[in-house]
Amino acid sequence: FARCLSLKRVALPESVEVFRDHAFAGCSSLETIELPKRTQHFDPASFRYCSRLRKITVAEGNPHLKSVDGIVYSKDGTELMMTPCRYEREELVVPEGVLKIATETFMDTIGLKRVRLPASLTEIGIDCFGGASEIEHFEVDPRNAVYASQSGLLYLKEPRTLLRCPPAYAASTVEIPTGVVAIAWHAFKGSMASRISLPPGMQTFPGRFVFSGCSNLQEVVMPDTIKDMGFDCFSQCPLLTRISLLKCGGDLAFENGFLVDTREKKLLYCAPVFSNGVIRLPNGVSRVKQGAFENLKENCRLEIPPEVVDVDFHDLLAIPAITAISFAGDLPRGFRFYEPKHRCDLYVDCGLPRWRAFSSAMKTCVEEHGLVTNLKIHDTSVCVTNANDRLGRQDDGASRGITGCRRQMQR
């Protein structure tokens, strides 16, 4: 039934026991649904993007599940398993006796503003509140041994970890208190804060997409001792131009729009502050973290120095703002090829062994299969200086590319 846009109600046979992944996802007109008598399991994404779904009921006599106020619980009431996307109340009081809230339970819930959690709760599933964009406040019963709330934010007590900052949190500046040592997956996802300050002593935020979708975020204050930044940590933060580092004797440095781990010689983040159309990686960098250029919006040429030996080629070609890439050295080992959806010019020395092999493989795909590509290779080893084109010209016979060659090519 996925993406049945006009579907409002559905009667399911009693024999249905399992709802698979995305069974009703995208049914944007669906308002209510009853889980049949034999249903015992459903994937968390079964009703994702059902923006009008306000009530989920369970057939009488179901031995596995029950429904209270349109929310699905396990029969014994110890697990909260699913909430409808359009919750009809602004506040949800999770009843005492609930031990677990399942993964992605509130993934797309709208209308919900305040969540009160009981003393009995001992487990919150991964990304439980990830897409609940209107939550303003969390409150945890002070008797809870595992979780706590402070100023409306949700924390794990040991080790002291920020689990979720409400996306609709009222303050424009979020200050994380001293004592918090880590940040969980999607902790700030969709936050409207413009400034987020992390305390000295914080060591890591290994969760994926920690600040993802913070469209107003302009500055992050954090200690220079951070050792682990998770995948796509700052993705979809188009205004994030400043990383202010607390001097705690660590290895991070932020200068000229680049956040660098000086010990690992690794570029962690490139801020969208470049206006001259050219981005030159800072001296000493030999590795580039995946997602480092995620927030670039203005078209630019990226210049990769010869000492860079670890950069995700796939990552670079997937960013529309990078319209040209210049490699001063040979192709980094272990790269993944990606066919860009936009025109991208690649300036490389095809006299170097790995670039020569790469160019030859692409040329074979074009000539033998008649493919067309958005990636155009310019061989700088045969480049002729031209005053009107500082990038140079290439011999037509050397300008070849491929398209549709989506297999990974490694040399």
Side-chain angles (χ1 to χ4, degrees):
F1 292 96
R3 296 190 60 79
C4 291
L5 303 183
S6 60
L7 182 66
K8 292 185 177 182
R9 294 177 181 83
V10 60
L12 298 171
E14 187 177 290
S15 58
V16 175
E17 297 181 358
V18 176
F19 286 74
R20 294 298 185 190
D21 187 25
H22 293 86
F24 287 89
C27 294
S28 55
S29 298
L30 186 64
E31 298 177 355
T32 63
I33 191 167
E34 182 178 82
L35 304 183
K37 187 175 181 178
R38 295 186 183 177
T39 300
Q40 55 183 304
H41 174 77
F42 45 81
D43 188 274
S46 298
F47 300 99
R48 183 168 291 180
Y49 312 124
C50 296
S51 55
R52 295 185 184 179
L53 183 62
R54 52 187 174 78
K55 183 180 293 186
I56 305 172
T57 59
V58 177
E60 187 175 351
N62 186 307
H64 308 286
L65 309 171
K66 68 177 182 179
S67 177
V68 179
D69 297 329
I71 296 175
V72 181
Y73 296 83
S74 60
K75 191 67 173 182
D76 61 4
T78 60
E79 182 176 0
L80 194 163
M81 305 180 72
M82 183 180 296
T83 57
C85 289
R86 183 171 291 278
Y87 190 63
E88 293 184 310
R89 301 177 184 178
E90 290 189 352
E91 181 176 80
L92 170 63
V93 180
V94 178
E96 187 65 36
V98 170
L99 303 178
K100 176 182 179 180
I101 301 178
T103 297
E104 300 183 353
T105 297
F106 297 89
M107 189 62 185
D108 298 299
T109 303
I110 55 177
L112 182 62
K113 297 185 182 299
R114 295 178 298 278
V115 179
R116 296 174 62 184
L117 303 174
S120 59
L121 187 65
T122 59
E123 182 179 351
I124 296 177
I126 295 174
D127 210 19
C128 177
F129 300 100
S133 60
E134 298 179 20
I135 294 181
E136 300 173 351
H137 187 88
F138 290 102
E139 181 180 343
V140 180
D141 189 308
R143 297 172 298 168
N144 191 296
V146 179
Y147 301 103
S149 57
Q150 183 175 340
S151 302
L153 279 66
L154 179 62
Y155 295 90
L156 177 69
K157 285 187 174 181
E158 293 294 337
R160 187 71 166 173
T161 302
L162 174 66
L163 297 180
R164 192 69 170 107
C165 173
Y169 192 68
S172 60
T173 296
V174 178
E175 300 273 352
I176 305 303
T178 300
V180 176
V181 297
I183 303 179
W185 178 312
H186 279 173
F188 289 99
K189 180 181 178 181
S191 171
M192 298 306 292
S194 59
R195 183 176 184 270
I196 295 173
S197 180
L198 310 180
M202 180 167 286
Q203 304 164 3
T204 178
F205 34 94
R208 296 164 63 95
F209 307 107
V210 169
F211 299 96
S212 176
C214 294
S215 57
N216 289 336
L217 186 60
Q218 300 174 33
E219 179 185 10
V220 172
V221 180
M222 66 184 193
D224 63 3
T225 51
I226 297 291
K227 295 296 183 184
D228 184 11
M229 295 172 57
F231 177 78
D232 274 4
C233 178
F234 300 114
S235 66
Q236 300 175 49
C237 298
L239 303 181
L240 181 57
T241 57
R242 184 174 180 182
I243 307 290
S244 299
L245 295 173
L246 304 173
K247 299 300 181 182
C248 302
D251 301 313
L252 298 187
F254 183 76
E255 187 176 356
N256 299 324
F258 295 110
L259 178 64
V260 176
D261 184 326
T262 57
R263 185 174 180 221
E264 298 289 335
K265 299 181 180 180
K266 188 173 186 178
L267 175 66
L268 303 176
Y269 178 66
C270 175
V273 296
F274 300 89
S275 58
N276 62 359
V278 178
I279 298 177
R280 297 181 179 89
L281 267 60
N283 293 332
V285 168
S286 62
R287 303 166 61 197
V288 178
K289 177 181 174 62
Q290 186 175 1
F293 302 99
E294 177 80 22
N295 292 325
L296 296 179
K297 299 303 176 186
E298 296 184 11
N299 290 351
C300 61
R301 176 187 177 189
L302 182 63
E303 297 187 349
I304 310 291
E307 56 266 29
V308 174
V309 296
D310 183 4
V311 59
D312 193 331
F313 198 34
H314 174 282
D315 193 38
L316 301 182
L317 294 176
I319 299 173
I322 299 179
T323 57
I325 306 172
S326 173
F327 280 87
D330 208 348
L331 186 152
R333 296 182 182 276
F335 82 101
R336 295 181 300 158
F337 177 74
Y338 175 85
E339 168 59 26
K341 296 180 180 179
H342 63 286
R343 165 66 184 260
C344 185
D345 292 292
L346 185 63
Y347 295 87
V348 300
D349 183 352
C350 292
L352 298 173
R354 290 194 295 276
W355 280 125
R356 182 168 63 248
F358 175 76
S359 178
S360 176
M362 294 181 74
K363 179 179 179 181
T364 298
C365 289
V366 170
E367 294 182 346
E368 293 186 3
H369 302 287
L371 302 175
V372 181
T373 184
N374 287 321
L375 182 65
K376 188 177 181 66
I377 292 182
H378 301 266
D379 184 359
T380 57
S381 66
V382 296
C383 182
V384 179
T385 302
N386 187 317
N388 295 320
D389 183 2
R390 69 182 182 84
L391 298 179
R393 288 195 315 251
Q394 179 187 332
D395 174 67
D396 288 342
S399 178
R400 302 283 185 179
I402 73 164
T403 191
C405 187
R406 302 186 184 279
R407 62 183 175 85
Q408 185 181 28
M409 292 190 293
Q410 295 185 340
R411 186 70 178 181

